[in-house]
Amino acid sequence: MERRKFIKTCCYTAIGVPLLVTTLQSCASAYFYAPVTLNKNRLVVKKADFWQVKKDKKIPRPFVLVKTPGMEFPICLYKINEETYTASLLKCTHRGCELNVGGGIYSCPCHGSEFSIKGNVLEGPAEQNLKTFEIALDNENIYILQS
């Protein structure tokens, strides 16, 4: 390889690798954790948290994650339509790994189990559905009822 081509390749690599790493890191943190308050035995999430503003445009979020200090795993609060939400604990019922959210399913990175957004097993090795929570609504808030 001639010297000029070698230097050019090294420069592209030196610029490209950090850019690629930054891009991949931003994809990994794409989940939005909604601020939550605790009211009696209910977690309270604002319906407005299902919207994000980018360049003066309101973009809907299909789901938000909820995490409180006493919980080991987050809860995924999924919006099915304007008045229907579902909430599932993101803990795989097979071996207890934290689930990934995307593509309208929950998937386990450890052993490949898949669950519907309502928490039902779609693909094993998991045999039990996810822990789900009852939901209540008012005009501004979503209430996740803890049992």
Side-chain angles (χ1 to χ4, degrees), residues 7 18-19 27 61 73 76 78 80 113 129 132-134 143:
I7 292 172
L19 184 61
C27 290
R61 290 185 175 105
F73 293 92
C76 184
Y78 223 104
I80 295 173
S113 294
N129 294 335
T132 57
F133 300 87
E134 195 175 330
Y143 302 94

Side-chain angles (χ1 to χ4, degrees), residues 81-114:
N81 61 42
E82 288 304 314
E83 293 302 314
T84 308
Y85 296 81
T86 183
S88 299
L89 185 66
L90 293 181
K91 179 181 180 182
C92 184
T93 56
H94 175 241
R95 293 280 173 102
C97 294
E98 186 170 326
L99 300 173
N100 294 322
V101 184
I105 63 168
Y106 305 130
S107 60
C108 180
C110 298
H111 301 105
S113 294
E114 293 182 351

Side-chain angles (χ1 to χ4, degrees), residues 124-143:
E127 295 178 354
Q128 293 181 328
N129 294 335
L130 298 177
K131 177 178 175 147
T132 57
F133 300 87
E134 195 175 330
I135 301 289
L137 305 170
D138 65 21
N139 289 338
E140 295 177 13
N141 300 310
I142 304 156
Y143 302 94

